[in-house]
Amino acid sequence: MAYAAEVKNIVKKFQSVTAVNDVSFSVNEGEIFGFLGPNGAGKTTLIRILTCLMKPTSGQASIRGIDVVKHPSLVRRNIGVVSQALTSDLDLTAYENLNIYGKYFDVPKKERKESIDYLLGKVDLKDRAKDLVATYSGGMRRRLEIARGLIHKPYILFLDEPTIGLDPQSRRVIWELLQKIRKETGLTIFITTHYMDEADVLCDRIGIIDYGKIVALDSPANLKRTIGGFDIIEVTLGNFGPEGMEKLKAMPFVKSVTEKDESLRIYVEDAAKSMPVLFEEFKKTGVIIEYLAIHEQTLEDVFIHYTGKTIREAETQKVNFFIGAGAPRRMPGARI
Ligand SMILES: Nc1ncnc2c1ncn2[C@@H]1O[C@H](COP(=O)(O)OP(=O)(O)OP(=O)(O)O)[C@@H](O)[C@H]1O
Ligand SMILES: [Mg+2]
């Protein structure tokens, strides 16, 4: 059986920028697959290639075994797209927006009406179906755009940062909605995000992308497991030198230690058990604890592990780089 989506050695270059740099992966049928990465990582570019809006510089990509460059019209019938920019018509009602899209995809009248009713119910917009989209909140518009992407019953739905700018409650509503639709219809979902929690809660598997390259790809649980240790003790220490570091690393319960700015991240299996021993050792050797925090591993830690920076730092660096280079960070017309 063909994969829902398959990408082989895709490269996309824009003049001097390599937006996607030799990326390969496959998406299984019925799975929610996520691309997690900071601004400018190449997420939208990859979605544009998979949804036939842009040709790759080299490499192959297919949807359900159908090549996106050779057979774009066949691919388009199999895909639904919810773009990063909001594109529903503000001067029309939700019903009218969906109806126009249904017509565009040649969905017959009776089926179209049934589909619109079903989808409006699913995205909880039935009561507002006859109101102009201009009167909607951001969350309602996003939900409408998800319904619109599903009007022709696609095989796979692409969503480019579907919850960006929404409040936590509205984001959760969207996650639940996508999970419910997947369960009911077996739809395959491909999502991009730069929210760690979103990728963690929603996706069966995640590809972490940075500077156009996949740096890790697995289920959220496996990604966290493979970086070793289950709790992180973050400390800033005084009176602590290389000798102390050697000792710390040699302690039997310490999986690994990484340094970030002024603080240390000590990876341990069980923070509750390790802390008293650790404190005792610090006390004995005159080390002072200036700052302490304990947390369970998150995808943020996975991101740090593979890229050496937090996702926020990655975004700041990218902004600085582009401001420094005098080039716009967001290219006009680059959105879908
Ligand atoms: N049409 C274009 N012309 C030139 N460069 C482009 C174009 N589209 C994208 N880029 C560049 O390619 C890189 C990847 O951009 P892309 O939009 O795919 O990133 P992204 O991961 O979607 O980021 P964001 O989170 O900001 O949406 C960036 O450096 C961007 O400036
Ligand atoms: Mg993008």
Side-chain angles (χ1 to χ4, degrees), residues 14-15 17-20 37-46 54 84 160-161 164 192 194 209 315 318 322 328-335:
F14 299 106
Q15 294 98 36
V17 178
T18 304
V20 180
N39 283 148
K43 303 181 297 295
T44 299
T45 305
L46 203 98
M54 184 183 269
Q84 189 168 348
D160 196 2
E161 307 216 30
I164 197 158
T192 74
H194 66 252
I209 180 166
E315 300 198 332
K318 197 92 38 165
F322 279 110
R329 187 167 62 90
R330 286 185 181 276
M331 312 305 286
R335 304 288 151 237

PDB file of all heavy atoms in Angstrom, residues 14-15 17-20 37-46 54 84 160-161 164 192 194 209 315 318 322 328-335, ligand 1:
ATOM      1  N   PHE A  14      15.576  29.061  -2.920  1.00  0.00           N
ATOM      2  CA  PHE A  14      15.170  30.379  -3.406  1.00  0.00           C
ATOM      3  C   PHE A  14      16.444  31.203  -3.474  1.00  0.00           C
ATOM      4  O   PHE A  14      17.001  31.534  -2.424  1.00  0.00           O
ATOM      5  CB  PHE A  14      14.219  31.073  -2.424  1.00  0.00           C
ATOM      6  CG  PHE A  14      12.937  30.342  -2.175  1.00  0.00           C
ATOM      7  CD1 PHE A  14      12.738  29.664  -0.975  1.00  0.00           C
ATOM      8  CD2 PHE A  14      11.917  30.331  -3.118  1.00  0.00           C
ATOM      9  CE1 PHE A  14      11.562  29.004  -0.727  1.00  0.00           C
ATOM     10  CE2 PHE A  14      10.740  29.668  -2.870  1.00  0.00           C
ATOM     11  CZ  PHE A  14      10.549  29.002  -1.686  1.00  0.00           C
ATOM     12  N   GLN A  15      16.913  31.503  -4.625  1.00  0.00           N
ATOM     13  CA  GLN A  15      18.195  32.201  -4.766  1.00  0.00           C
ATOM     14  C   GLN A  15      19.216  31.631  -3.777  1.00  0.00           C
ATOM     15  O   GLN A  15      19.538  30.460  -3.861  1.00  0.00           O
ATOM     16  CB  GLN A  15      18.035  33.724  -4.568  1.00  0.00           C
ATOM     17  CG  GLN A  15      17.192  34.425  -5.640  1.00  0.00           C
ATOM     18  CD  GLN A  15      15.759  34.619  -5.175  1.00  0.00           C
ATOM     19  OE1 GLN A  15      15.512  34.867  -4.021  1.00  0.00           O
ATOM     20  NE2 GLN A  15      14.819  34.509  -6.103  1.00  0.00           N
ATOM     21  N   VAL A  17      18.814  31.169  -0.524  1.00  0.00           N
ATOM     22  CA  VAL A  17      18.240  30.459   0.631  1.00  0.00           C
ATOM     23  C   VAL A  17      17.842  29.032   0.246  1.00  0.00           C
ATOM     24  O   VAL A  17      17.137  28.833  -0.739  1.00  0.00           O
ATOM     25  CB  VAL A  17      16.979  31.201   1.151  1.00  0.00           C
ATOM     26  CG1 VAL A  17      16.346  30.457   2.310  1.00  0.00           C
ATOM     27  CG2 VAL A  17      17.310  32.623   1.547  1.00  0.00           C
ATOM     28  N   THR A  18      18.327  28.057   1.011  1.00  0.00           N
ATOM     29  CA  THR A  18      17.844  26.688   0.818  1.00  0.00           C
ATOM     30  C   THR A  18      16.768  26.463   1.868  1.00  0.00           C
ATOM     31  O   THR A  18      17.051  26.223   3.034  1.00  0.00           O
ATOM     32  CB  THR A  18      18.995  25.668   0.966  1.00  0.00           C
ATOM     33  OG1 THR A  18      20.012  26.035   0.041  1.00  0.00           O
ATOM     34  CG2 THR A  18      18.527  24.255   0.656  1.00  0.00           C
ATOM     35  N   ALA A  19      15.505  26.578   1.459  1.00  0.00           N
ATOM     36  CA  ALA A  19      14.394  26.516   2.412  1.00  0.00           C
ATOM     37  C   ALA A  19      14.141  25.087   2.881  1.00  0.00           C
ATOM     38  O   ALA A  19      13.811  24.847   4.040  1.00  0.00           O
ATOM     39  CB  ALA A  19      13.134  27.091   1.779  1.00  0.00           C
ATOM     40  N   VAL A  20      14.270  24.131   1.969  1.00  0.00           N
ATOM     41  CA  VAL A  20      14.131  22.706   2.315  1.00  0.00           C
ATOM     42  C   VAL A  20      15.383  22.019   1.794  1.00  0.00           C
ATOM     43  O   VAL A  20      15.717  22.127   0.622  1.00  0.00           O
ATOM     44  CB  VAL A  20      12.855  22.098   1.688  1.00  0.00           C
ATOM     45  CG1 VAL A  20      12.733  20.629   2.070  1.00  0.00           C
ATOM     46  CG2 VAL A  20      11.610  22.866   2.120  1.00  0.00           C
ATOM     47  N   GLY A  37       8.756  23.205  13.997  1.00  0.00           N
ATOM     48  CA  GLY A  37       9.978  23.960  13.729  1.00  0.00           C
ATOM     49  C   GLY A  37       9.747  25.451  13.885  1.00  0.00           C
ATOM     50  O   GLY A  37       8.611  25.916  13.807  1.00  0.00           O
ATOM     51  N   PRO A  38      10.819  26.208  14.101  1.00  0.00           N
ATOM     52  CA  PRO A  38      10.683  27.662  14.311  1.00  0.00           C
ATOM     53  C   PRO A  38      10.356  28.407  13.020  1.00  0.00           C
ATOM     54  O   PRO A  38      10.323  27.803  11.942  1.00  0.00           O
ATOM     55  CB  PRO A  38      12.071  28.061  14.817  1.00  0.00           C
ATOM     56  CG  PRO A  38      12.999  27.038  14.272  1.00  0.00           C
ATOM     57  CD  PRO A  38      12.218  25.769  14.181  1.00  0.00           C
ATOM     58  N   ASN A  39      10.154  29.712  13.105  1.00  0.00           N
ATOM     59  CA  ASN A  39       9.921  30.565  11.926  1.00  0.00           C
ATOM     60  C   ASN A  39      11.028  30.341  10.908  1.00  0.00           C
ATOM     61  O   ASN A  39      12.198  30.308  11.268  1.00  0.00           O
ATOM     62  CB  ASN A  39       9.972  32.049  12.304  1.00  0.00           C
ATOM     63  CG  ASN A  39       8.705  32.519  12.988  1.00  0.00           C
ATOM     64  OD1 ASN A  39       8.769  33.390  13.813  1.00  0.00           O
ATOM     65  ND2 ASN A  39       7.572  31.954  12.651  1.00  0.00           N
ATOM     66  N   GLY A  40      10.625  30.203   9.665  1.00  0.00           N
ATOM     67  CA  GLY A  40      11.616  30.101   8.601  1.00  0.00           C
ATOM     68  C   GLY A  40      12.271  28.741   8.458  1.00  0.00           C
ATOM     69  O   GLY A  40      13.210  28.567   7.685  1.00  0.00           O
ATOM     70  N   ALA A  41      11.772  27.727   9.200  1.00  0.00           N
ATOM     71  CA  ALA A  41      12.390  26.394   9.154  1.00  0.00           C
ATOM     72  C   ALA A  41      12.158  25.689   7.822  1.00  0.00           C
ATOM     73  O   ALA A  41      12.892  24.780   7.448  1.00  0.00           O
ATOM     74  CB  ALA A  41      11.869  25.540  10.303  1.00  0.00           C
ATOM     75  N   GLY A  42      11.100  26.091   7.118  1.00  0.00           N
ATOM     76  CA  GLY A  42      10.803  25.447   5.830  1.00  0.00           C
ATOM     77  C   GLY A  42       9.477  24.709   5.819  1.00  0.00           C
ATOM     78  O   GLY A  42       9.155  23.997   4.867  1.00  0.00           O
ATOM     79  N   LYS A  43       8.657  24.903   6.850  1.00  0.00           N
ATOM     80  CA  LYS A  43       7.394  24.159   6.981  1.00  0.00           C
ATOM     81  C   LYS A  43       6.412  24.498   5.857  1.00  0.00           C
ATOM     82  O   LYS A  43       5.880  23.614   5.192  1.00  0.00           O
ATOM     83  CB  LYS A  43       6.732  24.466   8.344  1.00  0.00           C
ATOM     84  CG  LYS A  43       7.627  24.165   9.535  1.00  0.00           C
ATOM     85  CD  LYS A  43       6.936  24.452  10.854  1.00  0.00           C
ATOM     86  CE  LYS A  43       6.546  25.889  11.111  1.00  0.00           C
ATOM     87  NZ  LYS A  43       7.679  26.830  11.237  1.00  0.00           N
ATOM     88  N   THR A  44       6.179  25.793   5.665  1.00  0.00           N
ATOM     89  CA  THR A  44       5.213  26.203   4.636  1.00  0.00           C
ATOM     90  C   THR A  44       5.706  25.814   3.249  1.00  0.00           C
ATOM     91  O   THR A  44       4.923  25.338   2.416  1.00  0.00           O
ATOM     92  CB  THR A  44       4.959  27.729   4.717  1.00  0.00           C
ATOM     93  OG1 THR A  44       4.407  28.017   6.000  1.00  0.00           O
ATOM     94  CG2 THR A  44       3.985  28.189   3.647  1.00  0.00           C
ATOM     95  N   THR A  45       6.992  25.965   3.008  1.00  0.00           N
ATOM     96  CA  THR A  45       7.545  25.601   1.699  1.00  0.00           C
ATOM     97  C   THR A  45       7.257  24.129   1.410  1.00  0.00           C
ATOM     98  O   THR A  45       6.825  23.762   0.318  1.00  0.00           O
ATOM     99  CB  THR A  45       9.068  25.856   1.679  1.00  0.00           C
ATOM    100  OG1 THR A  45       9.290  27.221   2.041  1.00  0.00           O
ATOM    101  CG2 THR A  45       9.663  25.588   0.319  1.00  0.00           C
ATOM    102  N   LEU A  46       7.456  23.286   2.405  1.00  0.00           N
ATOM    103  CA  LEU A  46       7.210  21.864   2.206  1.00  0.00           C
ATOM    104  C   LEU A  46       5.733  21.577   1.947  1.00  0.00           C
ATOM    105  O   LEU A  46       5.380  20.795   1.069  1.00  0.00           O
ATOM    106  CB  LEU A  46       7.691  21.093   3.434  1.00  0.00           C
ATOM    107  CG  LEU A  46       7.973  19.678   3.010  1.00  0.00           C
ATOM    108  CD1 LEU A  46       9.434  19.492   2.757  1.00  0.00           C
ATOM    109  CD2 LEU A  46       7.452  18.703   3.992  1.00  0.00           C
ATOM    110  N   MET A  54       3.844  24.661  -5.520  1.00  0.00           N
ATOM    111  CA  MET A  54       5.224  25.038  -5.805  1.00  0.00           C
ATOM    112  C   MET A  54       5.987  23.776  -6.197  1.00  0.00           C
ATOM    113  O   MET A  54       5.737  22.703  -5.643  1.00  0.00           O
ATOM    114  CB  MET A  54       5.793  25.606  -4.504  1.00  0.00           C
ATOM    115  CG  MET A  54       7.158  26.154  -4.570  1.00  0.00           C
ATOM    116  SD  MET A  54       7.613  26.657  -2.913  1.00  0.00           S
ATOM    117  CE  MET A  54       7.085  28.349  -2.913  1.00  0.00           C
ATOM    118  N   GLN A  84      -1.808  28.875   6.182  1.00  0.00           N
ATOM    119  CA  GLN A  84      -1.353  29.632   7.352  1.00  0.00           C
ATOM    120  C   GLN A  84      -2.104  30.959   7.451  1.00  0.00           C
ATOM    121  O   GLN A  84      -2.467  31.395   8.541  1.00  0.00           O
ATOM    122  CB  GLN A  84       0.164  29.869   7.223  1.00  0.00           C
ATOM    123  CG  GLN A  84       0.792  30.441   8.470  1.00  0.00           C
ATOM    124  CD  GLN A  84       2.322  30.375   8.415  1.00  0.00           C
ATOM    125  OE1 GLN A  84       2.921  29.723   7.575  1.00  0.00           O
ATOM    126  NE2 GLN A  84       2.959  31.056   9.343  1.00  0.00           N
ATOM    127  N   ASP A 160      -1.515  24.285   7.952  1.00  0.00           N
ATOM    128  CA  ASP A 160      -0.274  25.020   8.206  1.00  0.00           C
ATOM    129  C   ASP A 160      -0.483  25.953   9.396  1.00  0.00           C
ATOM    130  O   ASP A 160      -1.150  26.973   9.281  1.00  0.00           O
ATOM    131  CB  ASP A 160       0.117  25.802   6.939  1.00  0.00           C
ATOM    132  CG  ASP A 160       1.564  26.276   6.970  1.00  0.00           C
ATOM    133  OD1 ASP A 160       2.273  25.970   7.952  1.00  0.00           O
ATOM    134  OD2 ASP A 160       1.987  26.944   6.005  1.00  0.00           O
ATOM    135  N   GLU A 161       0.066  25.580  10.536  1.00  0.00           N
ATOM    136  CA  GLU A 161      -0.058  26.347  11.783  1.00  0.00           C
ATOM    137  C   GLU A 161      -1.507  26.751  12.070  1.00  0.00           C
ATOM    138  O   GLU A 161      -1.823  27.945  12.126  1.00  0.00           O
ATOM    139  CB  GLU A 161       0.848  27.585  11.733  1.00  0.00           C
ATOM    140  CG  GLU A 161       2.281  27.196  11.386  1.00  0.00           C
ATOM    141  CD  GLU A 161       3.326  28.017  12.085  1.00  0.00           C
ATOM    142  OE1 GLU A 161       3.067  28.476  13.211  1.00  0.00           O
ATOM    143  OE2 GLU A 161       4.409  28.181  11.519  1.00  0.00           O
ATOM    144  N   ILE A 164      -2.254  29.198  15.248  1.00  0.00           N
ATOM    145  CA  ILE A 164      -1.381  30.352  15.513  1.00  0.00           C
ATOM    146  C   ILE A 164      -2.233  31.564  15.901  1.00  0.00           C
ATOM    147  O   ILE A 164      -3.271  31.840  15.294  1.00  0.00           O
ATOM    148  CB  ILE A 164      -0.462  30.646  14.303  1.00  0.00           C
ATOM    149  CG1 ILE A 164       0.690  31.537  14.720  1.00  0.00           C
ATOM    150  CG2 ILE A 164      -1.196  31.217  13.124  1.00  0.00           C
ATOM    151  CD1 ILE A 164       1.878  31.461  13.800  1.00  0.00           C
ATOM    152  N   THR A 192       1.545  21.526  10.545  1.00  0.00           N
ATOM    153  CA  THR A 192       2.800  22.156  10.947  1.00  0.00           C
ATOM    154  C   THR A 192       2.508  23.044  12.155  1.00  0.00           C
ATOM    155  O   THR A 192       1.404  23.554  12.303  1.00  0.00           O
ATOM    156  CB  THR A 192       3.425  23.053   9.858  1.00  0.00           C
ATOM    157  OG1 THR A 192       2.656  24.251   9.767  1.00  0.00           O
ATOM    158  CG2 THR A 192       3.491  22.381   8.513  1.00  0.00           C
ATOM    159  N   HIS A 194       4.642  25.535  15.496  1.00  0.00           N
ATOM    160  CA  HIS A 194       5.846  25.783  16.285  1.00  0.00           C
ATOM    161  C   HIS A 194       5.519  25.741  17.766  1.00  0.00           C
ATOM    162  O   HIS A 194       6.317  26.156  18.594  1.00  0.00           O
ATOM    163  CB  HIS A 194       6.576  27.063  15.852  1.00  0.00           C
ATOM    164  CG  HIS A 194       5.831  28.321  16.087  1.00  0.00           C
ATOM    165  ND1 HIS A 194       5.286  29.047  15.064  1.00  0.00           N
ATOM    166  CD2 HIS A 194       5.506  28.961  17.214  1.00  0.00           C
ATOM    167  CE1 HIS A 194       4.675  30.096  15.566  1.00  0.00           C
ATOM    168  NE2 HIS A 194       4.798  30.065  16.870  1.00  0.00           N
ATOM    169  N   ILE A 209      11.984  20.067  12.485  1.00  0.00           N
ATOM    170  CA  ILE A 209      12.676  20.665  11.341  1.00  0.00           C
ATOM    171  C   ILE A 209      13.326  21.984  11.755  1.00  0.00           C
ATOM    172  O   ILE A 209      12.730  22.789  12.465  1.00  0.00           O
ATOM    173  CB  ILE A 209      11.702  20.819  10.144  1.00  0.00           C
ATOM    174  CG1 ILE A 209      12.387  21.446   8.929  1.00  0.00           C
ATOM    175  CG2 ILE A 209      10.462  21.594  10.491  1.00  0.00           C
ATOM    176  CD1 ILE A 209      11.592  21.320   7.646  1.00  0.00           C
ATOM    177  N   GLU A 315      13.918  31.220  16.753  1.00  0.00           N
ATOM    178  CA  GLU A 315      13.139  32.218  16.020  1.00  0.00           C
ATOM    179  C   GLU A 315      13.811  33.590  16.102  1.00  0.00           C
ATOM    180  O   GLU A 315      13.897  34.307  15.126  1.00  0.00           O
ATOM    181  CB  GLU A 315      11.712  32.270  16.562  1.00  0.00           C
ATOM    182  CG  GLU A 315      11.058  30.915  16.406  1.00  0.00           C
ATOM    183  CD  GLU A 315       9.565  30.926  16.496  1.00  0.00           C
ATOM    184  OE1 GLU A 315       9.025  31.806  17.162  1.00  0.00           O
ATOM    185  OE2 GLU A 315       8.955  30.045  15.893  1.00  0.00           O
ATOM    186  N   LYS A 318      16.759  33.789  13.828  1.00  0.00           N
ATOM    187  CA  LYS A 318      16.343  33.912  12.434  1.00  0.00           C
ATOM    188  C   LYS A 318      15.953  35.359  12.122  1.00  0.00           C
ATOM    189  O   LYS A 318      16.361  35.911  11.124  1.00  0.00           O
ATOM    190  CB  LYS A 318      15.168  32.958  12.190  1.00  0.00           C
ATOM    191  CG  LYS A 318      14.867  32.665  10.774  1.00  0.00           C
ATOM    192  CD  LYS A 318      15.559  31.449  10.216  1.00  0.00           C
ATOM    193  CE  LYS A 318      15.676  30.294  11.137  1.00  0.00           C
ATOM    194  NZ  LYS A 318      16.002  29.064  10.547  1.00  0.00           N
ATOM    195  N   PHE A 322      17.908  37.921   9.498  1.00  0.00           N
ATOM    196  CA  PHE A 322      17.302  38.571   8.342  1.00  0.00           C
ATOM    197  C   PHE A 322      17.302  40.093   8.467  1.00  0.00           C
ATOM    198  O   PHE A 322      17.498  40.789   7.480  1.00  0.00           O
ATOM    199  CB  PHE A 322      15.890  38.039   8.078  1.00  0.00           C
ATOM    200  CG  PHE A 322      15.950  36.743   7.343  1.00  0.00           C
ATOM    201  CD1 PHE A 322      15.597  35.563   7.952  1.00  0.00           C
ATOM    202  CD2 PHE A 322      16.418  36.705   6.034  1.00  0.00           C
ATOM    203  CE1 PHE A 322      15.690  34.363   7.272  1.00  0.00           C
ATOM    204  CE2 PHE A 322      16.508  35.510   5.344  1.00  0.00           C
ATOM    205  CZ  PHE A 322      16.145  34.330   5.965  1.00  0.00           C
ATOM    206  N   PRO A 328      13.600  40.918   3.993  1.00  0.00           N
ATOM    207  CA  PRO A 328      12.392  40.687   4.776  1.00  0.00           C
ATOM    208  C   PRO A 328      12.345  39.237   5.264  1.00  0.00           C
ATOM    209  O   PRO A 328      12.797  38.330   4.563  1.00  0.00           O
ATOM    210  CB  PRO A 328      11.261  40.945   3.782  1.00  0.00           C
ATOM    211  CG  PRO A 328      11.878  40.754   2.441  1.00  0.00           C
ATOM    212  CD  PRO A 328      13.308  41.108   2.572  1.00  0.00           C
ATOM    213  N   ARG A 329      11.838  39.072   6.459  1.00  0.00           N
ATOM    214  CA  ARG A 329      11.771  37.724   7.005  1.00  0.00           C
ATOM    215  C   ARG A 329      10.651  36.932   6.335  1.00  0.00           C
ATOM    216  O   ARG A 329      10.769  35.773   6.036  1.00  0.00           O
ATOM    217  CB  ARG A 329      11.524  37.794   8.507  1.00  0.00           C
ATOM    218  CG  ARG A 329      11.595  36.456   9.200  1.00  0.00           C
ATOM    219  CD  ARG A 329      11.661  36.649  10.694  1.00  0.00           C
ATOM    220  NE  ARG A 329      10.480  37.308  11.201  1.00  0.00           N
ATOM    221  CZ  ARG A 329       9.411  36.656  11.594  1.00  0.00           C
ATOM    222  NH1 ARG A 329       9.357  35.358  11.532  1.00  0.00           N
ATOM    223  NH2 ARG A 329       8.368  37.312  12.051  1.00  0.00           N
ATOM    224  N   ARG A 330       9.552  37.591   6.124  1.00  0.00           N
ATOM    225  CA  ARG A 330       8.444  36.915   5.447  1.00  0.00           C
ATOM    226  C   ARG A 330       8.384  37.430   4.011  1.00  0.00           C
ATOM    227  O   ARG A 330       8.329  38.616   3.772  1.00  0.00           O
ATOM    228  CB  ARG A 330       7.119  37.215   6.146  1.00  0.00           C
ATOM    229  CG  ARG A 330       6.985  36.470   7.457  1.00  0.00           C
ATOM    230  CD  ARG A 330       5.604  36.703   8.028  1.00  0.00           C
ATOM    231  NE  ARG A 330       5.441  36.026   9.282  1.00  0.00           N
ATOM    232  CZ  ARG A 330       5.103  34.750   9.395  1.00  0.00           C
ATOM    233  NH1 ARG A 330       4.873  34.013   8.327  1.00  0.00           N
ATOM    234  NH2 ARG A 330       4.965  34.201  10.568  1.00  0.00           N
ATOM    235  N   MET A 331       8.407  36.536   3.081  1.00  0.00           N
ATOM    236  CA  MET A 331       8.420  36.938   1.688  1.00  0.00           C
ATOM    237  C   MET A 331       6.984  37.156   1.212  1.00  0.00           C
ATOM    238  O   MET A 331       6.137  36.302   1.422  1.00  0.00           O
ATOM    239  CB  MET A 331       9.061  35.846   0.820  1.00  0.00           C
ATOM    240  CG  MET A 331      10.377  35.340   1.374  1.00  0.00           C
ATOM    241  SD  MET A 331      11.586  36.623   1.651  1.00  0.00           S
ATOM    242  CE  MET A 331      12.058  36.968  -0.013  1.00  0.00           C
ATOM    243  N   PRO A 332       6.704  38.273   0.574  1.00  0.00           N
ATOM    244  CA  PRO A 332       5.360  38.494   0.053  1.00  0.00           C
ATOM    245  C   PRO A 332       5.015  37.382  -0.937  1.00  0.00           C
ATOM    246  O   PRO A 332       5.869  36.951  -1.703  1.00  0.00           O
ATOM    247  CB  PRO A 332       5.460  39.837  -0.660  1.00  0.00           C
ATOM    248  CG  PRO A 332       6.760  40.421  -0.268  1.00  0.00           C
ATOM    249  CD  PRO A 332       7.631  39.343   0.229  1.00  0.00           C
ATOM    250  N   GLY A 333       3.802  36.920  -0.854  1.00  0.00           N
ATOM    251  CA  GLY A 333       3.364  35.895  -1.804  1.00  0.00           C
ATOM    252  C   GLY A 333       3.849  34.500  -1.455  1.00  0.00           C
ATOM    253  O   GLY A 333       3.638  33.555  -2.187  1.00  0.00           O
ATOM    254  N   ALA A 334       4.528  34.374  -0.292  1.00  0.00           N
ATOM    255  CA  ALA A 334       5.037  33.062   0.061  1.00  0.00           C
ATOM    256  C   ALA A 334       3.989  32.223   0.784  1.00  0.00           C
ATOM    257  O   ALA A 334       4.186  31.061   1.040  1.00  0.00           O
ATOM    258  CB  ALA A 334       6.259  33.197   0.943  1.00  0.00           C
ATOM    259  N   ARG A 335       2.898  32.865   1.144  1.00  0.00           N
ATOM    260  CA  ARG A 335       1.860  32.135   1.906  1.00  0.00           C
ATOM    261  C   ARG A 335       0.899  31.429   0.967  1.00  0.00           C
ATOM    262  O   ARG A 335       0.684  31.853  -0.156  1.00  0.00           O
ATOM    263  CB  ARG A 335       1.085  33.132   2.766  1.00  0.00           C
ATOM    264  CG  ARG A 335       1.961  33.929   3.693  1.00  0.00           C
ATOM    265  CD  ARG A 335       2.479  33.066   4.846  1.00  0.00           C
ATOM    266  NE  ARG A 335       3.744  33.561   5.301  1.00  0.00           N
ATOM    267  CZ  ARG A 335       4.847  32.817   5.347  1.00  0.00           C
ATOM    268  NH1 ARG A 335       4.839  31.568   4.941  1.00  0.00           N
ATOM    269  NH2 ARG A 335       5.963  33.324   5.780  1.00  0.00           N
TER     270      ARG A 335
HETATM  271  N1  LIG B   1       8.983  32.770  -2.280  1.00  0.00           N
HETATM  272  C1  LIG B   1      10.101  32.819  -1.584  1.00  0.00           C
HETATM  273  N2  LIG B   1      11.196  33.478  -2.068  1.00  0.00           N
HETATM  274  C2  LIG B   1      12.351  33.532  -1.376  1.00  0.00           C
HETATM  275  N3  LIG B   1      12.531  32.948  -0.154  1.00  0.00           N
HETATM  276  C3  LIG B   1      11.493  32.294   0.382  1.00  0.00           C
HETATM  277  C4  LIG B   1      10.215  32.193  -0.298  1.00  0.00           C
HETATM  278  N4  LIG B   1       9.379  31.470   0.483  1.00  0.00           N
HETATM  279  C5  LIG B   1      10.082  31.131   1.592  1.00  0.00           C
HETATM  280  N5  LIG B   1      11.340  31.624   1.547  1.00  0.00           N
HETATM  281  C6  LIG B   1      12.391  31.449   2.572  1.00  0.00           C
HETATM  282  O1  LIG B   1      12.523  30.065   2.835  1.00  0.00           O
HETATM  283  C7  LIG B   1      12.697  29.812   4.231  1.00  0.00           C
HETATM  284  C8  LIG B   1      11.595  28.896   4.717  1.00  0.00           C
HETATM  285  O2  LIG B   1      10.363  29.617   4.732  1.00  0.00           O
HETATM  286  P1  LIG B   1       8.981  28.953   5.146  1.00  0.00           P
HETATM  287  O3  LIG B   1       7.918  29.948   4.906  1.00  0.00           O
HETATM  288  O4  LIG B   1       8.851  27.628   4.469  1.00  0.00           O
HETATM  289  O5  LIG B   1       9.220  28.716   6.707  1.00  0.00           O
HETATM  290  P2  LIG B   1       8.165  28.298   7.829  1.00  0.00           P
HETATM  291  O6  LIG B   1       8.797  27.175   8.582  1.00  0.00           O
HETATM  292  O7  LIG B   1       6.841  28.073   7.244  1.00  0.00           O
HETATM  293  O8  LIG B   1       8.170  29.590   8.765  1.00  0.00           O
HETATM  294  P3  LIG B   1       6.940  30.292   9.589  1.00  0.00           P
HETATM  295  O9  LIG B   1       6.880  29.570  10.900  1.00  0.00           O
HETATM  296  O10 LIG B   1       7.426  31.702   9.746  1.00  0.00           O
HETATM  297  O11 LIG B   1       5.693  30.177   8.789  1.00  0.00           O
HETATM  298  C9  LIG B   1      12.741  31.175   4.892  1.00  0.00           C
HETATM  299  O12 LIG B   1      14.069  31.551   5.023  1.00  0.00           O
HETATM  300  C10 LIG B   1      12.005  32.071   3.908  1.00  0.00           C
HETATM  301  O13 LIG B   1      12.420  33.403   4.008  1.00  0.00           O
END
